[in-house]
Coordinates of all heavy atoms in Angstrom, one line a residue:
M288 N 13.5 -13.3 -11.3 CA 13.5 -14.3 -12.4 C 13.3 -15.7 -11.8 O 13.8 -16.0 -10.7 CB 14.9 -14.3 -13.1 CG 14.9 -15.3 -14.3 SD 16.5 -15.1 -15.1 CE 16.3 -13.5 -15.9
E289 N 12.5 -16.5 -12.4 CA 12.2 -17.8 -11.9 C 13.5 -18.7 -11.9 O 14.3 -18.6 -12.7 CB 11.2 -18.5 -12.9 CG 10.7 -19.8 -12.3 CD 9.8 -20.6 -13.3 OE1 9.3 -19.9 -14.2 OE2 9.7 -21.8 -13.2
G290 N 13.6 -19.4 -10.8 CA 14.8 -20.2 -10.6 C 16.0 -19.5 -10.0 O 17.0 -20.1 -9.7
A291 N 15.9 -18.2 -9.8 CA 17.0 -17.5 -9.2 C 17.2 -17.9 -7.8 O 16.2 -18.2 -7.1 CB 16.7 -16.0 -9.3
I292 N 18.4 -18.0 -7.4 CA 18.7 -18.4 -6.0 C 18.3 -17.3 -5.1 O 18.8 -16.2 -5.2 CB 20.2 -18.8 -5.9 CG1 20.5 -19.9 -7.0 CG2 20.5 -19.3 -4.5 CD1 22.0 -20.0 -7.2
Q293 N 17.5 -17.7 -4.1 CA 17.1 -16.6 -3.1 C 18.1 -16.6 -2.0 O 18.1 -17.4 -1.1 CB 15.7 -17.0 -2.6 CG 14.6 -16.7 -3.6 CD 14.5 -15.3 -4.0 OE1 14.4 -14.4 -3.1 NE2 14.4 -15.0 -5.3
V294 N 19.0 -15.7 -2.1 CA 20.1 -15.6 -1.1 C 20.0 -14.2 -0.5 O 19.9 -13.2 -1.3 CB 21.5 -15.9 -1.6 CG1 22.5 -15.7 -0.6 CG2 21.6 -17.3 -2.2
R295 N 20.1 -14.1 0.8 CA 20.2 -12.8 1.4 C 21.6 -12.6 2.0 O 22.3 -13.6 2.2 CB 19.1 -12.6 2.5 CG 17.7 -12.6 1.9 CD 16.8 -11.9 2.9 NE 17.2 -10.5 3.1 CZ 16.5 -9.7 3.9 NH1 15.4 -10.0 4.5 NH2 17.0 -8.4 4.0
Y296 N 22.0 -11.4 2.2 CA 23.3 -11.1 2.8 C 23.1 -10.3 4.0 O 22.2 -9.6 4.2 CB 24.1 -10.4 1.7 CG 24.4 -11.2 0.5 CD1 23.7 -10.9 -0.7 CD2 25.3 -12.3 0.5 CE1 23.9 -11.6 -1.8 CE2 25.4 -13.0 -0.6 CZ 24.8 -12.7 -1.8 OH 25.0 -13.4 -2.9
R297 N 24.1 -10.5 4.9 CA 24.2 -9.7 6.1 C 25.6 -9.3 6.4 O 26.5 -10.2 6.2 CB 23.6 -10.6 7.3 CG 23.7 -9.9 8.6 CD 23.2 -10.7 9.7 NE 23.9 -12.0 9.8 CZ 23.3 -13.2 10.2 NH1 22.1 -13.2 10.6 NH2 24.0 -14.3 10.3
C298 N 25.8 -8.1 6.7 CA 27.1 -7.6 7.1 C 27.2 -7.7 8.6 O 26.5 -7.0 9.3 CB 27.4 -6.2 6.6 SG 29.0 -5.6 7.1
S299 N 28.1 -8.5 9.1 CA 28.2 -8.7 10.5 C 29.0 -7.5 11.1 O 29.1 -7.3 12.3 CB 28.9 -10.0 10.9 OG 30.1 -10.2 10.3
G300 N 29.7 -6.7 10.2 CA 30.4 -5.6 10.7 C 29.5 -4.4 11.2 O 29.8 -3.8 12.2
C301 N 28.5 -4.1 10.4 CA 27.6 -3.0 10.7 C 26.1 -3.4 10.8 O 25.3 -2.5 11.1 CB 27.8 -1.9 9.6 SG 27.1 -2.4 8.0
G302 N 25.8 -4.6 10.5 CA 24.4 -5.0 10.7 C 23.6 -4.8 9.4 O 22.4 -5.0 9.5
N303 N 24.2 -4.3 8.4 CA 23.5 -4.0 7.1 C 22.8 -5.3 6.6 O 23.5 -6.3 6.5 CB 24.5 -3.4 6.1 CG 23.9 -3.3 4.7 OD1 22.7 -3.2 4.6 ND2 24.7 -3.3 3.8
L304 N 21.5 -5.2 6.2 CA 20.8 -6.3 5.6 C 20.3 -5.9 4.3 O 19.7 -6.8 3.6 CB 19.7 -6.7 6.5 CG 19.9 -7.5 7.8 CD1 18.7 -7.5 8.7 CD2 20.3 -8.9 7.4
T305 N 20.4 -4.7 3.9 CA 19.6 -4.2 2.7 C 20.4 -3.7 1.6 O 19.9 -3.5 0.5 CB 18.6 -3.2 3.2 OG1 19.3 -2.1 3.8 CG2 17.6 -3.8 4.1
R306 N 21.7 -3.3 1.8 CA 22.4 -2.6 0.7 C 23.7 -3.2 0.4 O 24.7 -3.2 1.2 CB 22.7 -1.1 1.1 CG 21.4 -0.3 1.5 CD 21.0 0.6 0.4 NE 20.0 1.5 0.8 CZ 18.7 1.3 1.0 NH1 18.2 0.0 0.7 NH2 17.8 2.2 1.3
F307 N 23.8 -3.8 -0.8 CA 25.1 -4.5 -1.1 C 25.3 -4.3 -2.6 O 24.4 -4.2 -3.4 CB 25.0 -6.0 -0.9 CG 24.7 -6.4 0.6 CD1 23.4 -6.6 1.0 CD2 25.8 -6.5 1.5 CE1 23.2 -6.9 2.4 CE2 25.5 -6.8 2.8 CZ 24.3 -7.0 3.2
D308 N 26.6 -4.2 -2.9 CA 27.0 -4.3 -4.3 C 27.4 -5.8 -4.6 O 28.3 -6.3 -4.0 CB 28.3 -3.4 -4.6 CG 27.9 -2.0 -4.6 OD1 26.9 -1.6 -5.2 OD2 28.7 -1.2 -4.2
V309 N 26.6 -6.4 -5.5 CA 26.8 -7.8 -5.8 C 27.3 -7.9 -7.2 O 26.6 -7.4 -8.2 CB 25.5 -8.6 -5.6 CG1 25.7 -10.1 -6.0 CG2 24.9 -8.4 -4.2
T310 N 28.4 -8.5 -7.4 CA 29.0 -8.8 -8.7 C 28.8 -10.2 -9.1 O 29.2 -11.1 -8.3 CB 30.5 -8.4 -8.7 OG1 30.7 -7.1 -8.3 CG2 31.1 -8.6 -10.1
T311 N 28.2 -10.5 -10.2 CA 27.9 -11.8 -10.6 C 28.4 -12.1 -12.0 O 28.5 -11.1 -12.8 CB 26.4 -12.2 -10.6 OG1 25.7 -11.3 -11.4 CG2 25.9 -12.1 -9.1
T312 N 28.7 -13.3 -12.3 CA 29.0 -13.7 -13.7 C 27.9 -14.7 -14.1 O 27.7 -15.7 -13.5 CB 30.4 -14.4 -13.8 OG1 31.4 -13.5 -13.3 CG2 30.7 -14.8 -15.2
S313 N 27.3 -14.4 -15.2 CA 26.2 -15.3 -15.7 C 26.5 -15.8 -17.1 O 27.1 -15.1 -17.9 CB 24.9 -14.5 -15.8 OG 24.5 -13.9 -14.5
T314 N 26.1 -17.1 -17.3 CA 26.1 -17.6 -18.6 C 24.6 -17.7 -19.1 O 23.8 -18.3 -18.4 CB 26.7 -19.0 -18.6 OG1 28.0 -19.0 -18.1 CG2 26.7 -19.6 -20.0
V315 N 24.3 -17.0 -20.1 CA 22.9 -16.8 -20.6 C 22.8 -17.3 -22.0 O 23.6 -16.8 -22.9 CB 22.4 -15.4 -20.4 CG1 21.0 -15.2 -20.9 CG2 22.6 -14.9 -19.0
R316 N 21.8 -18.1 -22.3 CA 21.5 -18.5 -23.6 C 20.2 -17.7 -24.0 O 19.2 -17.9 -23.4 CB 21.3 -20.0 -23.8 CG 20.9 -20.4 -25.2 CD 21.0 -21.8 -25.4 NE 20.1 -22.5 -24.4 CZ 20.4 -23.8 -24.0 NH1 21.4 -24.4 -24.4 NH2 19.6 -24.3 -23.1
S317 N 20.3 -17.0 -25.1 CA 19.1 -16.2 -25.5 C 18.8 -16.5 -27.0 O 19.6 -16.9 -27.8 CB 19.4 -14.7 -25.3 OG 20.5 -14.3 -26.0
F318 N 17.5 -16.4 -27.2 CA 17.0 -16.5 -28.6 C 16.9 -15.2 -29.3 O 16.1 -14.3 -28.9 CB 15.6 -17.2 -28.6 CG 14.9 -17.3 -29.9 CD1 15.7 -17.7 -31.0 CD2 13.6 -17.0 -30.1 CE1 15.1 -17.8 -32.3 CE2 13.0 -17.0 -31.3 CZ 13.7 -17.4 -32.4
N319 N 17.9 -14.9 -30.2 CA 17.9 -13.7 -30.8 C 17.1 -13.8 -32.1 O 17.4 -14.5 -33.0 CB 19.4 -13.3 -31.2 CG 20.1 -12.9 -30.0 OD1 19.7 -13.2 -28.8 ND2 21.3 -12.3 -30.1
H320 N 16.1 -13.0 -32.2 CA 15.2 -13.0 -33.3 C 15.4 -11.7 -34.2 O 15.1 -10.6 -33.7 CB 13.7 -13.0 -32.8 CG 12.7 -13.1 -34.0 ND1 11.4 -13.2 -33.7 CD2 12.9 -13.2 -35.3 CE1 10.7 -13.3 -34.9 NE2 11.6 -13.3 -35.8
Y321 N 15.9 -11.9 -35.3 CA 16.2 -10.7 -36.2 C 15.1 -10.5 -37.2 O 14.7 -11.5 -37.8 CB 17.6 -10.9 -36.9 CG 18.7 -10.9 -36.0 CD1 19.2 -12.1 -35.5 CD2 19.4 -9.8 -35.6 CE1 20.2 -12.2 -34.6 CE2 20.5 -9.8 -34.8 CZ 20.9 -11.0 -34.3 OH 22.0 -11.1 -33.4
S322 N 14.7 -9.3 -37.4 CA 13.8 -9.0 -38.5 C 14.6 -9.0 -39.8 O 15.8 -9.0 -39.8 CB 13.1 -7.7 -38.2 OG 14.0 -6.6 -38.5
V323 N 13.8 -9.0 -40.9 CA 14.5 -8.9 -42.2 C 15.3 -7.7 -42.3 O 16.4 -7.7 -42.9 CB 13.4 -9.0 -43.3 CG1 14.1 -8.8 -44.7 CG2 12.6 -10.2 -43.3
G324 N 14.9 -6.7 -41.7 CA 15.7 -5.4 -41.7 C 16.9 -5.4 -40.7 O 17.6 -4.5 -40.7
G325 N 17.1 -6.5 -40.0 CA 18.2 -6.6 -39.2 C 18.0 -6.2 -37.7 O 18.9 -6.1 -36.9
E326 N 16.7 -5.9 -37.4 CA 16.4 -5.4 -36.1 C 16.4 -6.6 -35.1 O 15.7 -7.6 -35.4 CB 15.1 -4.6 -36.1 CG 14.9 -3.7 -34.9 CD 13.7 -2.8 -35.1 OE1 13.5 -2.4 -36.2 OE2 13.0 -2.6 -34.1
L327 N 17.0 -6.4 -34.0 CA 17.1 -7.6 -33.1 C 16.0 -7.5 -32.0 O 15.8 -6.4 -31.4 CB 18.5 -7.6 -32.4 CG 18.7 -8.5 -31.2 CD1 18.5 -10.0 -31.7 CD2 20.0 -8.3 -30.6
V328 N 15.4 -8.6 -31.8 CA 14.5 -8.8 -30.6 C 15.0 -10.0 -29.8 O 15.0 -11.1 -30.4 CB 13.0 -8.9 -31.0 CG1 12.2 -9.1 -29.7 CG2 12.6 -7.7 -31.7
V329 N 15.4 -9.8 -28.6 CA 15.8 -11.0 -27.8 C 14.5 -11.5 -27.1 O 13.9 -10.9 -26.3 CB 16.8 -10.6 -26.7 CG1 17.1 -11.8 -25.8 CG2 18.1 -10.0 -27.3
E330 N 14.1 -12.7 -27.6 CA 12.7 -13.2 -27.2 C 12.8 -14.1 -26.0 O 11.8 -14.2 -25.3 CB 12.1 -13.9 -28.4 CG 11.8 -13.0 -29.6 CD 10.8 -13.6 -30.5 OE1 10.5 -14.8 -30.4 OE2 10.4 -12.9 -31.4
D331 N 13.9 -14.7 -25.7 CA 13.9 -15.6 -24.6 C 15.4 -15.6 -24.1 O 16.3 -15.7 -24.9 CB 13.5 -17.0 -25.0 CG 13.1 -17.9 -23.8 OD1 13.0 -17.3 -22.7 OD2 13.0 -19.1 -24.0
A332 N 15.5 -15.5 -22.8 CA 16.8 -15.6 -22.2 C 16.8 -16.6 -21.1 O 16.0 -16.4 -20.2 CB 17.3 -14.2 -21.8
E333 N 17.7 -17.5 -21.1 CA 17.7 -18.6 -20.1 C 19.1 -18.5 -19.4 O 20.1 -18.6 -20.0 CB 17.5 -19.9 -20.7 CG 17.6 -21.1 -19.7 CD 17.5 -22.5 -20.4 OE1 17.5 -22.5 -21.6 OE2 17.6 -23.5 -19.7
V334 N 19.0 -18.3 -18.1 CA 20.3 -18.3 -17.3 C 20.7 -19.7 -17.1 O 20.1 -20.5 -16.4 CB 20.1 -17.6 -16.0 CG1 21.4 -17.6 -15.2 CG2 19.6 -16.2 -16.2
L335 N 21.8 -20.1 -17.7 CA 22.4 -21.5 -17.6 C 23.1 -21.6 -16.3 O 23.1 -22.7 -15.7 CB 23.3 -21.8 -18.8 CG 22.6 -21.7 -20.2 CD1 23.6 -22.0 -21.2 CD2 21.4 -22.6 -20.3
S336 N 23.9 -20.6 -15.9 CA 24.6 -20.7 -14.6 C 24.8 -19.2 -14.2 O 24.9 -18.3 -15.0 CB 25.9 -21.4 -14.8 OG 26.8 -20.7 -15.6
E337 N 24.9 -19.1 -12.9 CA 25.2 -17.8 -12.3 C 26.1 -18.0 -11.1 O 25.9 -18.8 -10.3 CB 24.0 -17.1 -11.9 CG 24.2 -15.6 -11.5 CD 22.9 -14.9 -11.3 OE1 22.0 -15.4 -10.6 OE2 22.8 -13.8 -11.9
R338 N 27.1 -17.2 -11.1 CA 28.1 -17.3 -10.0 C 28.3 -15.9 -9.3 O 28.4 -14.9 -10.0 CB 29.4 -17.8 -10.5 CG 30.5 -18.1 -9.5 CD 31.8 -18.4 -10.1 NE 32.5 -17.2 -10.7 CZ 33.1 -17.2 -11.8 NH1 33.2 -18.3 -12.6 NH2 33.7 -16.1 -12.3
V339 N 28.2 -15.9 -8.0 CA 28.5 -14.6 -7.3 C 29.9 -14.5 -7.1 O 30.6 -15.3 -6.5 CB 27.7 -14.6 -6.0 CG1 28.0 -13.3 -5.2 CG2 26.2 -14.8 -6.2
D340 N 30.5 -13.4 -7.7 CA 31.9 -13.2 -7.6 C 32.3 -12.4 -6.3 O 33.3 -12.7 -5.7 CB 32.4 -12.4 -8.8 CG 32.2 -13.2 -10.1 OD1 32.5 -14.4 -10.1 OD2 31.8 -12.6 -11.0
E341 N 31.5 -11.4 -6.0 CA 31.8 -10.6 -4.9 C 30.6 -9.9 -4.3 O 29.7 -9.5 -5.1 CB 32.8 -9.5 -5.3 CG 33.4 -8.7 -4.2 CD 34.5 -7.7 -4.7 OE1 34.3 -7.2 -5.8 OE2 35.4 -7.4 -4.0
V342 N 30.5 -9.8 -3.0 CA 29.4 -9.0 -2.4 C 30.1 -8.0 -1.4 O 30.9 -8.4 -0.5 CB 28.5 -10.0 -1.5 CG1 27.4 -9.1 -0.9 CG2 27.9 -11.1 -2.4
V343 N 29.8 -6.8 -1.7 CA 30.4 -5.7 -0.9 C 29.3 -4.9 -0.1 O 28.3 -4.5 -0.7 CB 31.2 -4.8 -1.8 CG1 31.7 -3.5 -1.0 CG2 32.4 -5.5 -2.4
C344 N 29.5 -4.7 1.1 CA 28.6 -3.9 1.9 C 28.7 -2.5 1.5 O 29.8 -1.9 1.4 CB 28.9 -4.1 3.4 SG 28.0 -3.0 4.5
R345 N 27.5 -1.8 1.3 CA 27.5 -0.4 0.8 C 27.9 0.5 2.0 O 28.4 1.6 1.7 CB 26.2 -0.1 0.3 CG 25.8 -0.7 -1.0 CD 26.5 -0.1 -2.2 NE 26.0 1.3 -2.4 CZ 26.1 1.9 -3.6 NH1 26.5 1.2 -4.6 NH2 25.7 3.1 -3.7
W346 N 27.7 0.1 3.2 CA 28.0 0.9 4.3 C 29.5 0.9 4.7 O 30.1 1.9 5.0 CB 27.1 0.6 5.5 CG 25.6 0.8 5.2 CD1 25.1 1.4 4.1 CD2 24.5 0.5 6.1 NE1 23.7 1.4 4.2 CE2 23.4 0.9 5.4 CE3 24.5 -0.1 7.4 CZ2 22.1 0.8 6.0 CZ3 23.2 -0.2 7.9 CH2 22.0 0.2 7.3
C347 N 30.0 -0.4 4.7 CA 31.4 -0.5 5.1 C 32.3 -0.3 3.9 O 33.5 0.1 4.1 CB 31.7 -1.9 5.6 SG 30.8 -2.3 7.1
G348 N 31.9 -0.6 2.7 CA 32.7 -0.4 1.6 C 33.6 -1.6 1.3 O 34.4 -1.6 0.4
T349 N 33.5 -2.7 2.2 CA 34.2 -3.9 1.9 C 33.3 -5.1 2.1 O 32.2 -5.0 2.6 CB 35.4 -4.1 3.0 OG1 34.8 -4.4 4.2 CG2 36.2 -2.8 3.1
G350 N 33.8 -6.2 1.6 CA 33.0 -7.5 1.7 C 33.5 -8.4 2.8 O 33.1 -9.5 2.9
T351 N 34.4 -7.9 3.6 CA 35.1 -8.9 4.5 C 34.2 -9.4 5.6 O 34.4 -10.5 6.0 CB 36.3 -8.2 5.2 OG1 35.8 -7.0 5.8 CG2 37.4 -7.9 4.2
A352 N 33.1 -8.6 5.9 CA 32.3 -9.1 7.0 C 30.9 -9.6 6.5 O 30.0 -9.8 7.3 CB 32.1 -7.9 8.0
V353 N 30.8 -9.6 5.2 CA 29.5 -10.0 4.6 C 29.4 -11.5 4.6 O 30.3 -12.2 4.1 CB 29.3 -9.4 3.2 CG1 28.0 -10.0 2.6 CG2 29.4 -7.9 3.2
E354 N 28.2 -12.0 5.1 CA 28.0 -13.4 5.0 C 26.6 -13.7 4.4 O 25.7 -12.9 4.4 CB 28.0 -14.1 6.4 CG 27.2 -13.3 7.4 CD 27.5 -13.7 8.8 OE1 28.8 -13.8 9.1 OE2 26.6 -13.9 9.7
A355 N 26.5 -14.8 3.7 CA 25.3 -15.2 3.0 C 24.3 -15.8 4.0 O 24.7 -16.5 4.9 CB 25.6 -16.2 1.9
V356 N 23.1 -15.4 3.9 CA 22.0 -15.9 4.8 C 21.0 -16.7 3.9 O 20.4 -16.1 3.1 CB 21.3 -14.8 5.5 CG1 20.3 -15.3 6.4 CG2 22.3 -13.9 6.3
T357 N 21.0 -18.0 4.1 CA 20.0 -18.7 3.3 C 18.7 -18.8 4.1 O 18.7 -19.3 5.3 CB 20.5 -20.1 3.0 OG1 21.2 -20.6 4.1 CG2 21.5 -20.1 1.8
P358 N 17.6 -18.4 3.6 CA 16.3 -18.4 4.3 C 15.9 -19.9 4.6 O 16.2 -20.8 3.8 CB 15.4 -17.7 3.4 CG 15.9 -17.9 2.0 CD 17.4 -18.0 2.2
P359 N 15.3 -20.1 5.7 CA 14.8 -21.4 6.0 C 13.7 -21.8 5.0 O 12.8 -21.0 4.7 CB 14.2 -21.3 7.4 CG 14.0 -19.9 7.6 CD 15.0 -19.1 6.8
S360 N 13.7 -23.0 4.5 CA 12.8 -23.4 3.5 C 11.5 -23.9 4.1 O 11.5 -24.3 5.3 CB 13.4 -24.5 2.6 OG 13.9 -25.5 3.3
Ligands
LIG536 ZN1 28.8 -3.4 6.6

């Protein structure tokens, strides 16, 4: 999604760079378009804010050793 924060994670416990369970809380404003019959089409969704609550390494099963890696711009 455009504007999404490009963050990578690394588990310093096992070296995992690719498999994480990421729990996020998002605030999203969407344009709900209802037909006359009441059928809903969500036509536009804008992420107003997003917060990462927890990142857990899939290999270790914990998030204690996971650190965020911000790529060099
Ligand atoms: Zn790990």
Side-chain angles (χ1 to χ4, degrees):
M288 181 176 291
E289 188 187 339
I292 306 163
Q293 290 293 312
V294 177
R295 295 203 56 176
Y296 297 105
R297 176 178 58 210
C298 178
S299 57
C301 68
N303 171 26
L304 282 166
T305 54
R306 304 257 193 280
F307 300 95
D308 283 323
V309 181
T310 306
T311 58
T312 302
S313 303
T314 303
V315 179
R316 177 169 55 210
S317 56
F318 173 44
N319 289 13
H320 183 183
Y321 295 89
S322 72
V323 177
E326 199 169 323
L327 169 63
V328 177
V329 178
E330 296 199 348
D331 196 14
E333 180 187 359
V334 179
L335 301 179
S336 68
E337 186 171 54
R338 187 185 71 220
V339 177
D340 296 316
E341 190 179 29
V342 182
V343 173
C344 174
R345 290 284 293 206
W346 294 357
C347 296
T349 72
T351 54
V353 175
E354 52 197 43
V356 181
T357 39
S360 53

